[in-house]
Amino acid sequence: MRMGEKSIWGITSMAFNKMKPYLAMVSLQFGYAGMYIITMLSFKHGFSHWILVVYRHAVATMVFAPFAFFLERKIRPKLTLSVFLKIMLLAFLEPVLDQNLYYVGMKYTSATFTAATINILPGITFIMAVIFRLEKVNLKQIHSLAKVIGTGITLLGAMLMTFYKGPVVDILPHSLSRSHHETASTVGSADQHWITGTIMLLSCIVGWSGFFIVQNKTLKEYPAELSLTSLVCFMGMVEGGVVAIIMEHHISAWAIGFDSRLLAAVYSGIVCSGIAYYLQSVVNKARGPVFVTSFSPLSMIITALLGAMVLAEQIHLGSLIGAIIIVFGLYSVVWGKSKENSNSDELVYEENKSHDALPVVYKKTSNILDNATTDTDVKPDVRENNSLNQEP
């Protein structure tokens, strides 16, 4: 009975370990969806996105730096000039460039549209990963073909959501709570800056994809996830602070109290900077940047529902159809990555198995050689004794 319980426990533990990357990335999408809503509320109350970036990474640095200092002091490698330059580049690509362009695009469009546009992230990351040889494409293999087809399907769904709205679908009764005047004014304001917001969001996606590529390269030289997270957040605070000082000339804009501004800074700093950078670096190191970004379309679905409930944003038919298509594309990419990882694990297992068998064969051959040498050593002695006995 105990042996059976142990085997069941072992199987459960192995299954949970395999599911860890998936659970981490899915949970992270819920965190991002919450950030979309909270930051939009803070922007409506006049919070500057330039200053939000600074406060966000200041909070993340204060929370995660002590953990990184004590937990990784024995495994943290030396900070070389090459690693430091990569950290500066990471801080510029994501905290400064990506987030500021992202917030501008969100203000000019909507939280739901922003989350929909981010669905292009897996496709852009996949293309960049192939260019920098972090992903291998062999169309003769099914799992590789599934990644390519899944990326194309995801891009198709994202384009459908972006360029086709369609009629409003009343999924939640709360989405009808806005008056016609409020809806018209919001739509008119969004349409006025829609092109600018879209360009900002597309530029932000390119920067975000570059962040994951550079992160994967940096982890090979500096395999300390918590320390790397803290350093990126610190440099993001410094570089973002310089940009914020240039862009924001009013000192009053830096004022913050116990309101939506503080909530946006704390929530996005802890969840979407600290925890997100750490989880992404761990999964990126194990599965690669394409796996990390392939889950981003889920945040669009979650954000659309939260946006309808909290911000009273409308859900269009194009968004629903695009979401269904994106789910199929996401499943194809994840399936291809899982098959690729299982094949690589089997290859590693076979190599280890063959290496483990080599010493045994070596011992047997060495024993045979030893026996052969002892026989040859003994035979001359016997011959000598016989010859001596034959002498008169």
Side-chain angles (χ1 to χ4, degrees), residues 331-349:
Y331 175 80
S332 179
V333 174
V334 172
W335 181 85
K337 289 294 294 181
S338 63
K339 293 295 290 183
E340 184 181 60
N341 291 323
S342 64
N343 292 338
S344 62
D345 291 340
E346 290 177 1
L347 181 61
V348 172
Y349 174 76

Side-chain angles (χ1 to χ4, degrees), residues 33 36-37 44 111-112 172 174-175 178 300-315:
Y36 298 148
I37 306 302
K44 289 183 177 180
T112 304
L172 300 173
H174 184 69
S175 62
R178 292 191 304 178
M300 176 274 307
I301 302 173
I302 303 168
T303 305
L305 295 175
L306 291 177
M309 290 186 294
V310 180
L311 300 177
E313 291 184 347
Q314 294 178 336
I315 300 177

